[in-house]
Amino acid sequence: MLNILVSIKQVPDTTNIRINPDTGTLIREGVPSIINPYDIVALSLAYQLKLRFKAKVTVITMGPPQAKNALKEAVEFGADRIILLCDRKFAGADTLATSYTLAEAIRFLQREELFDLFLFGKQAIDGDTAQVGPGVANRLGIPVITYVVKIENLDPIHRKIVVHRKTEKGIEVLEAPFPILLTCEKDLSPLPFVPLENILKAQRAEPETFNAEGPLSFQRDKLGLKGSPTQVKKVYTPELKRIGKIYNLDDVSLDDVVSKILDVLRERDLL
Ligand SMILES: Cc1cc2nc3c(=O)[nH]c(=O)nc-3n(C[C@H](O)[C@H](O)[C@H](O)COP(=O)(O)OP(=O)(O)OC[C@H]3O[C@@H](n4cnc5c(N)ncnc54)[C@H](O)[C@@H]3O)c2cc1C
């Protein structure tokens, strides 16, 4: 049986995120939350593979208590097991601490059953670093393929997969053995039709909750704000200053504009 792990992040359903000026961390209270859109793609793919290969799907998230709602929504996408990593000691984590906490929890789950496929979103729409997927793969010692736009073939018998990956230069086609971690691009998998039974099952679903006390033990100095070398020093909205001069090419020739720009650069010793 194909065994899939999906890692999802609950993010603020807004673009104007507010940061706590004292801790430099995100203010989540009172802000409506959604599942990170790239993780919806990962869930949709897992659901397609579940229907096609009778896969088992485990979904994990690290977040505050309300992240439970993201996991309940994942049950609508066919999740069989949902795990919430929730503890104040996990809070304020940068990508190093986040990938550590997730990788340790996944290592613990793998004592029971090994995963073949790990599905992460390409990036989270709030932190935007795209670092957690590769970070977790590195900690678990498994290969990672980022920016996946298509699954060309998945062969559970010979335990390998062929994917298309987006790069600056175009599309790469890669074959890889299981276990493999993929980060999903937005057009990888369409939203599936979710049957009513899944919606009803989601309403009753309760996640297993792991905290800093157990069921596994964590290295405390690698958790949350304490385990985060990235300290947000100051968060502010930069003031937009328009100091430039706008040239209308209907009035002046391009050559004139270029020589004016060169003059300005020379004046400022930039040339
Ligand atoms: C505005 C802002 C800026 C930030 N800048 C930085 C920074 O420069 N450096 C830094 O280290 N941290 C930064 N952080 C903190 C960072 O958001 C957290 O470390 C976060 O947990 C992971 O990073 P990310 O949001 O960039 O996720 P990404 O690495 O972009 O997420 C990629 C994928 O990893 C998985 N994933 C990510 N977070 C979780 C989670 N909590 N639970 C389960 N799966 C998850 C999801 O599949 C997601 O699609 C920033 C946060 C904010 C709000």
Side-chain angles (χ1 to χ4, degrees):
M1 177 182 60
L2 186 64
N3 203 6
I4 301 174
L5 180 114
V6 186
S7 191
I8 65 171
K9 185 182 182 187
Q10 190 183 49
V11 295
D13 182 10
T14 171
T15 45
N16 64 346
I17 53 174
R18 290 179 305 129
I19 302 274
N20 176 328
D22 306 325
T23 62
T25 57
L26 207 56
I27 296 173
R28 295 181 187 277
E29 288 69 33
V31 178
S33 300
I34 54 170
I35 295 179
N36 179 45
Y38 291 98
D39 304 344
I40 292 281
V41 175
L43 286 171
S44 304
L45 173 62
Y47 191 49
Q48 312 282 350
L49 298 176
K50 179 186 174 82
L51 297 179
R52 205 164 133 217
F53 299 104
K54 306 225 170 330
K56 177 179 177 191
V57 179
T58 299
V59 180
I60 192 166
T61 192
M62 180 183 91
Q66 75 248 31
K68 174 171 110 169
N69 302 329
L71 291 171
K72 287 169 79 70
E73 196 181 334
V75 174
E76 294 181 16
F77 286 86
D80 301 291
R81 189 176 180 189
I82 46 177
I83 314 276
L84 173 61
L85 307 181
C86 185
D87 196 305
R88 293 203 69 70
K89 294 190 181 71
F90 299 157
D94 70 358
T95 56
L96 204 68
T98 300
S99 61
Y100 168 76
T101 315
L102 287 169
E104 289 307 302
I106 294 169
R107 218 189 294 281
F108 176 80
L109 294 172
Q110 294 215 108
R111 290 184 199 165
E112 288 167 44
E113 52 187 352
L114 293 177
F115 297 107
D116 307 302
L117 201 51
F118 299 80
L119 300 177
F120 283 58
K122 173 186 93 167
Q123 66 189 74
I125 59 169
D126 57 350
D128 258 347
T129 65
Q131 290 171 4
V132 172
V136 169
N138 179 49
R139 290 178 186 280
L140 295 176
I142 61 172
V144 55
I145 302 178
T146 55
Y147 309 117
V148 174
V149 290
K150 181 180 173 191
I151 308 283
E152 181 180 305
N153 183 35
L154 189 149
D155 178 348
I157 313 296
H158 299 97
R159 297 180 50 70
K160 59 182 180 179
I161 191 169
V162 178
V163 304
H164 292 207
R165 164 177 194 266
K166 192 158 87 174
T167 73
E168 292 86 11
K169 299 198 184 73
I171 297 293
E172 269 178 358
V173 181
L174 299 165
E175 178 178 288
F178 295 166
I180 182 86
L181 190 146
L182 306 179
T183 76
C184 303
E185 260 287 8
K186 62 181 176 312
D187 33 13
L188 173 58
S189 182
L191 267 185
F193 165 75
V194 172
L196 179 59
E197 76 182 89
N198 285 18
I199 296 171
L200 297 175
K201 191 176 165 203
Q203 281 162 7
R204 298 189 300 275
E206 279 302 319
E208 297 162 56
T209 299
F210 294 4
N211 59 33
E213 316 314 319
L216 66 146
S217 57
F218 294 96
Q219 279 180 259
R220 294 302 166 85
D221 60 353
K222 291 194 173 174
L223 297 175
L225 212 47
K226 215 191 239 166
S228 300
T230 314
Q231 301 287 329
V232 176
K233 276 270 166 282
K234 185 175 160 210
V235 178
Y236 61 95
T237 310
E239 188 205 332
L240 279 183
K241 290 197 221 87
R242 289 189 73 76
I243 51 175
K245 184 163 174 31
I246 298 176
Y247 289 99
N248 182 335
L249 288 180
D250 298 341
D251 312 334
V252 282
S253 75
L254 188 55
D255 287 353
D256 284 354
V257 174
V258 171
S259 71
K260 285 186 191 339
I261 292 171
L262 292 176
D263 292 347
V264 172
L265 293 174
R266 282 195 200 93
E267 272 160 33
R268 298 187 184 171
D269 290 332
L270 296 172
L271 268 185

